[in-house]
Amino acid sequence: MQLKSQKHQKNNFINWRKKAVTLFISIAFLGIVIGQTSNKDKNKTLKYKDSIAKSKSVIAKNEKMLAIDTIKKNKPLFDQQEVVIDSLFIGTGKFKLYKKSAHASYYADKFHNHKTASGKKYDKNKFSAAHKKLPFGTIVKVTNEANGKSVIVEVTDRGPFVRSREIDLSRKAFMEITGNKSSGNMKVTLEILQK
């Protein structure tokens, strides 16, 4: 009887061992399958991230190329604009003589960025002028009588408040036509744009 009991225990142990080995192999196999699946997912994710990064890189390169191309295409326009910087666009119309032998001077630098009588800010690097009577926005051609150089300005302020002077020019406009840069005034001819 004891022998049967030992055989029975031995068979139970062997059965239990088989079940344990089968369970272990199943778990190991399942782990391998899950690991392979997660590696595939990781690879897909990495490939996806790489493709996104490459796409962003390509887009960035394309945008850079577009920006470069745009700059190259627009470069002649910028050069053209630099030639015409601060000049006023004149559509149709002719200049009519307003006054000959008028005395012109220029604004002092201390007025730079101050508000003018028209409400605009005075900029010494723009083509503008102050006149006692001409309406704001009037386009005036100012010609230096000594050398024949002329400049076109817009009246944006009132002045000059000195009796002998007719017009105050912005510093840039004055220096554009003066023959003597150290001089503060000159005789000019004023012509008004008739529209």
Side-chain angles (χ1 to χ4, degrees):
M1 196 93 192
Q2 206 173 10
L3 197 59
K4 277 187 177 182
S5 162
Q6 283 179 348
K7 272 187 175 183
H8 184 60
Q9 282 180 347
K10 194 174 178 182
N11 283 340
N12 280 343
F13 178 72
I14 292 171
N15 284 339
W16 180 82
R17 202 167 128 195
K18 285 181 182 177
K19 287 180 183 177
V21 169
T22 306
L23 182 64
F24 177 75
I25 291 172
S26 298
I27 291 173
F29 181 73
L30 188 62
I32 291 170
V33 169
I34 290 173
Q36 290 294 328
T37 306
S38 68
N39 281 342
K40 285 181 183 176
D41 288 343
K42 282 181 185 176
N43 287 341
K44 283 182 183 177
T45 305
L46 289 174
K47 285 179 183 177
Y48 179 72
K49 285 181 181 177
D50 285 346
S51 67
I52 290 174
K54 285 178 184 176
S55 297
K56 285 182 181 177
S57 169
V58 169
I59 290 169
K61 284 179 184 176
N62 287 342
E63 286 176 354
K64 189 175 182 182
M65 289 174 75
L66 285 174
I68 290 169
D69 289 343
T70 305
I71 290 170
K72 285 180 184 175
K73 287 176 186 173
N74 290 340
K75 196 165 188 175
L77 294 176
F78 290 129
D79 290 341
Q80 191 176 29
Q81 287 176 350
E82 287 175 9
V83 173
V84 190
I85 280 180
D86 290 335
S87 66
L88 299 170
F89 174 78
I90 298 171
T92 57
K94 292 184 179 181
F95 285 100
K96 182 180 176 187
L97 181 64
Y98 178 76
K99 189 169 186 178
K100 279 192 169 204
S101 297
H103 284 23
S105 58
Y106 66 91
Y107 279 84
D109 287 340
K110 68 180 181 180
F111 295 113
H112 182 64
N113 278 334
H114 282 85
K115 206 177 237 187
T116 62
S118 68
K120 294 181 178 179
K121 279 190 175 183
Y122 166 67
D123 185 346
K124 67 181 181 179
N125 300 311
K126 302 270 184 188
F127 291 98
S128 61
H131 194 273
K132 295 172 191 167
K133 299 176 185 173
L134 292 173
F136 297 132
T138 303
I139 306 298
V140 181
K141 182 178 181 182
V142 183
T143 306
N144 184 345
E145 292 178 357
N147 61 16
K149 290 184 179 179
S150 62
V151 69
I152 297 170
V153 295
E154 177 185 6
V155 175
T156 59
D157 202 5
R158 292 290 171 234
F161 300 108
V162 177
R163 270 190 188 190
S164 63
R165 298 211 178 111
E166 183 76 24
I167 192 166
D168 258 346
L169 301 173
S170 65
R171 184 173 184 82
K172 182 167 184 158
F174 186 89
M175 292 302 166
E176 190 89 11
I177 62 172
T178 188
N180 182 3
K181 304 242 187 235
S182 61
S183 173
N185 58 46
M186 63 183 146
K187 281 193 177 184
V188 296
T189 300
L190 302 178
E191 298 170 88
I192 299 173
L193 180 66
Q194 302 293 307
K195 294 182 182 180

